Amino acid sequence: MQPIIEIRNLSKTYAGGFQALKDVNLEIREGEILALLGPNGAGKTTLISIVCGIVNATAGSVTVGGHDIVRDFRKTRALIGLVPQELTTDAFETVWDTVSFSRGLFGKPKNPAHVEQVLKSLTLWDKRKQKIMTLSGGMKRRLMIAKALSHEPRILFLDEPTAGVDVELRREMWELVRELRKTGVTIILTTHYIEEAEEMADRVAVINKGEIILVEDKAELMRKLGKKRLTLHLQEPLKKIPKGLSGNGLALSEDGFELTYEYDTRAERIGVTQLLADLNAAGVRLKDLGTEQSSLEDIFVDLVRNGR
Amino acid sequence: MNLYAIKAIYAFEMARTGRTLMQSILSPVISTSLYFIVFGAAIGSRIETIGGVSYGAFIVPGLIMLMLLTQSISNASFGIYFPKFTGTIYELHSAPVSFIEVVISYVGAAATKSVIIGLIILATAAFFTPLRIEHPLLMVLFLLLTAVTFSLFGFIIGIWADNFEKLQVIPLLVVTPLTFLGGAFYSIDMLPEFWRNLSLANPVVYLISGFRYSFYGAGDVHILVSLGMVAAFLAACLFTVWLIFRTGWRLKT
Ligand SMILES: Nc1ncnc2c1ncn2[C@@H]1O[C@H](COP(=O)(O)OP(=O)(O)O)[C@@H](O)[C@H]1O
Ligand SMILES: [Mg+2]
């Protein structure tokens, strides 16, 4: 299947000479949730701003739904809804007016039923007659989503949707994103919260210093790059790690009741069997044991630290 | 053409006018009335008629032009500058609208508003002095041409300005002096020859003269010269807008 967005050799150098994107290649599949994960200043906003038409690329090309974003900008932009990072709204317009305005701007005839449905899904219906400036920060963020959805886009960009948002609203937004995906909307969200990528995404693209370091199915990523931690709960406390066992990723807790062993699931020999045999030989008795998968966060820190 | 977008922006801008009705309409009406009281009644009673027209009636076309110019420029420049300032311009950039549609809707709304103000001032003036309009169609043509031309000019200023100071500087330092020296309150025939010739370099003279001709059938310069000057200025503004469009100047990073 043809990707809904195809980014080819995209570079951006800002007027000051700063290169924010370096030869970026990325394909986004129809109907997926892609998380663009990277630290502040990585180039996430620049990348989506180019796709949406807000920033001009220095080199490279982008197609959306098979159309070039420069030559066929009317077709590509009509497919896209954008929720920018900053809360930028008018102040004196009403909620209803500003959402209807967005719909018109994107070339769609009036459709009060759709606007009503969008406002209701974002719990803004009661506020429809209020001026924007009377809304709280969380409401404004929802309003920006409503504006982006007003013209029934097939692709939704969310630039750091949950930055500075309280837990409840974050859950609501995640819920909304899942609902949208069910209707076939492709969603690209940028974030520097690993938790968010982990919770939401089908695929994760990691960007750092203007370069895409890796693109991977989230599950695959976890499997391939994930570290696991084995925790051993002991019957008797240990004063120190027995000789012959130390020095291979083993750590003892303060109270001496817990031994933890970190291992890389990518490694050919992970050594768990050997470790257990050695412990047995040393006369260490176990009460219980458990393993836990390391989070995307650890993977991410690893990747960024190692450059590529 | 994205007609829905043009409609949406136009309606948005007109709603903005509606919200600031006091400031948009009342203030020009009040200042015009003050001009009438000061110039028309107080001073005008001591001035003889100019070309057979009482001084109070003589200054009406000039006053309307004065307001039309300043209103067109300030409405259009503010209209496009404000989204840049607040950041809401992102939506315009990300929407399937071309620059031409943006120009049509912002300039259209600004011109509409200043024409309305012009007509309101005309109605206000009728309270103070008996009016006569010899060439109503020409009058309307001048009104529209001037409103559109200077709204375009204001739009260009709004694109160019990247702070509030720049937004104000041209209207304040260039346009206001030119309109005051453009024969709104006097006929340039009343000036010594040197100043009269210098005045001919002032484009506003042609606007006011032409507009006055449509009222009283006489102006400082020939009506066709006036029309030609307005057309030339309109062409210059259209060309500048076209250049902005072609080069993307100051539109996007
Ligand atoms: N308009 C601009 N002019 C110059 N540099 C910019 C501009 N916008 C962003 N940058 C720089 O480009 C880099 C990437 O920015 P951005 O895309 O906003 O990153 P992110 O969204 O990942 O935090 C940053 O170093 C930022 O300072
Ligand atoms: Mg950003």
Side-chain angles (χ1 to χ4, degrees):
Chain A
M1 199 174 65
Q2 204 199 353
I4 192 154
I5 298 179
E6 217 174 338
I7 298 168
R8 289 266 164 266
N9 308 107
L10 195 68
S11 294
K12 173 66 187 180
T13 305
Y14 279 110
F18 181 82
Q19 191 172 13
L21 292 178
K22 298 168 190 161
D23 200 31
V24 167
N25 286 285
L26 183 63
E27 290 183 355
I28 295 162
R29 300 170 189 157
E30 179 146 25
E32 75 172 339
I33 300 180
L34 179 92
L36 197 56
L37 181 65
N40 277 324
K44 303 182 294 293
T45 299
T46 303
L47 181 59
I48 69 175
S49 297
I50 291 174
V51 179
C52 295
I54 296 170
V55 168
N56 292 324
T58 311
S61 67
V62 180
T63 65
V64 176
H67 307 290
D68 184 83
I69 56 160
V70 179
R71 220 175 27 244
D72 283 329
F73 73 95
R74 286 186 200 273
K75 284 182 187 152
T76 64
R77 291 185 199 172
L79 293 174
I80 296 175
L82 166 68
V83 184
Q85 182 172 356
E86 308 290 334
L87 272 181
T88 43
T89 57
D90 293 306
F92 305 104
E93 283 69 28
T94 64
V95 168
W96 178 272
D97 285 350
T98 195
V99 175
S100 305
F101 169 79
S102 296
R103 188 176 166 86
L105 199 60
F106 278 77
K108 287 281 173 88
K110 280 201 166 69
N111 183 347
H114 177 72
V115 174
E116 177 175 343
Q117 183 244 313
V118 167
L119 288 180
K120 281 183 173 160
S121 75
L122 286 154
T123 55
L124 283 169
W125 181 244
D126 294 340
K127 313 268 176 200
R128 65 190 180 278
K129 289 177 188 156
Q130 284 191 21
K131 288 189 175 169
I132 299 168
M133 59 185 180
T134 66
L135 301 181
S136 68
M139 298 258 181
K140 279 188 188 147
R141 199 164 284 274
R142 273 192 281 227
L143 177 64
M144 299 199 58
I145 300 178
K147 279 165 78 75
L149 294 176
S150 65
H151 63 282
E152 302 158 67
R154 280 177 58 209
I155 303 164
L156 182 67
F157 281 93
L158 296 161
D159 197 358
E160 313 236 354
T162 56
V165 153
D166 63 33
V167 180
E168 197 182 336
L169 182 54
R170 185 176 305 183
R171 297 237 164 278
E172 267 180 49
M173 283 210 222
W174 287 349
E175 198 45 51
L176 177 85
V177 166
R178 288 200 188 90
E179 287 300 314
L180 277 172
R181 208 240 323 237
K182 278 186 204 156
T183 66
V185 176
T186 307
I187 294 148
I188 296 98
L189 58 91
T190 76
T191 182
H192 58 262
Y193 295 127
I194 318 279
E195 184 196 354
E196 196 155 54
E198 205 164 357
E199 173 91 19
M200 298 302 305
D202 300 314
R203 287 200 307 152
V204 179
V206 180
I207 183 171
N208 189 42
K209 295 191 177 135
E211 291 178 278
I212 300 263
I213 303 174
L214 148 146
V215 188
E216 195 77 77
D217 275 355
K218 187 183 63 186
E220 184 74 2
L221 183 67
M222 306 283 291
R223 196 182 66 74
K224 267 169 59 178
L225 298 182
K227 282 209 174 82
K228 274 197 167 180
R229 171 185 301 184
L230 173 67
T231 308
L232 306 160
H233 303 273
L234 311 178
Q235 286 182 358
E236 306 283 332
L238 283 176
K239 286 220 169 55
K240 58 183 176 62
I241 300 172
K243 271 208 192 86
L245 286 180
S246 52
N248 56 3
L250 214 53
L252 185 66
S253 68
E254 197 100 338
D255 61 7
F257 272 106
E258 260 178 45
L259 268 175
T260 53
Y261 172 61
E262 283 215 38
Y263 59 99
D264 195 331
T265 54
R266 284 174 298 179
E268 267 177 27
R269 293 186 28 188
I270 55 175
V272 171
T273 319
Q274 187 61 44
L275 174 69
L276 292 177
D278 288 352
L279 283 171
N280 201 28
V284 178
R285 296 283 166 264
L286 302 181
K287 200 163 77 184
D288 197 3
L289 58 79
T291 63
E292 117 202 337
Q293 184 93 41
S294 68
S295 69
L296 257 175
E297 174 121 31
D298 308 324
I299 299 173
F300 181 67
V301 168
D302 247 28
L303 271 171
V304 171
R305 196 173 291 144
N306 300 338
R308 262 180 181 273
Chain B
M1 273 284 162
N2 182 347
L3 290 178
Y4 290 111
I6 294 178
K7 237 172 86 179
I9 300 172
Y10 184 87
F12 179 96
E13 283 296 296
M14 292 314 285
R16 191 167 63 80
T17 304
R19 270 196 310 275
T20 51
L21 208 61
M22 288 295 262
Q23 182 204 332
S24 317
I25 290 178
L26 214 58
S27 87
V29 169
I30 290 176
S31 50
T32 323
S33 305
L34 290 175
Y35 280 125
F36 270 114
I37 293 164
V38 174
F39 287 98
I43 299 176
S45 59
R46 293 161 189 272
I47 296 181
E48 49 196 297
T49 60
I50 302 173
V53 180
S54 79
Y55 186 70
F58 177 85
I59 63 173
V60 172
L63 274 179
I64 295 176
M65 273 292 148
L66 197 107
M67 285 299 157
L68 209 59
L69 286 183
T70 47
Q71 287 292 321
S72 296
I73 293 173
S74 75
N75 290 333
S77 62
F78 195 77
I80 189 66
Y81 176 76
F82 200 61
K84 290 206 301 184
F85 175 70
T86 59
T88 53
I89 190 111
Y90 86 86
E91 211 183 2
L92 223 48
H93 283 324
S94 65
V97 291
S98 75
F99 184 61
I100 301 307
E101 287 145 1
V102 173
V103 173
I104 292 174
S105 38
Y106 277 101
V107 169
T112 306
K113 182 179 163 188
S114 40
V115 166
I116 292 173
I117 290 173
L119 293 176
I120 290 175
I121 294 172
L122 187 63
T124 314
F127 276 107
F128 292 90
T129 175
L131 282 178
R132 174 176 103 229
I133 303 174
E134 280 188 14
H135 308 286
L137 279 181
L138 192 65
M139 195 275 280
V140 171
L141 178 71
F142 250 97
L143 207 62
L144 292 179
L145 268 180
T146 308
V148 169
T149 303
F150 284 86
S151 295
L152 269 171
F153 186 56
F155 184 85
I156 295 165
I157 293 175
I159 296 267
W160 165 74
D162 46 18
N163 57 44
F164 273 102
E165 231 165 46
K166 285 190 181 173
L167 199 62
Q168 307 284 4
V169 73
I170 291 185
L172 210 65
L173 294 186
V174 182
V175 178
T176 308
L178 285 185
T179 35
F180 272 90
L181 300 175
F185 300 110
Y186 54 85
S187 163
I188 61 168
D189 285 340
M190 298 154 92
L191 297 174
E193 194 176 340
F194 173 77
W195 292 107
R196 183 163 66 232
N197 290 336
L198 195 66
S199 292
L200 291 177
N202 178 357
V204 180
V205 165
Y206 299 89
L207 285 176
I208 294 180
S209 163
F211 199 48
R212 190 175 287 135
Y213 173 88
S214 72
F215 278 73
Y216 308 122
D220 293 337
V221 294
H222 195 277
I223 175 64
L224 288 179
V225 177
S226 287
L227 273 174
M229 286 297 280
V230 184
F233 198 54
L234 177 62
C237 288
L238 283 173
F239 180 69
T240 310
V241 163
W242 179 80
L243 274 183
I244 293 174
F245 173 64
R246 278 306 299 267
T247 57
W249 180 72
R250 293 226 173 181
L251 293 178
K252 283 184 195 175
T253 45

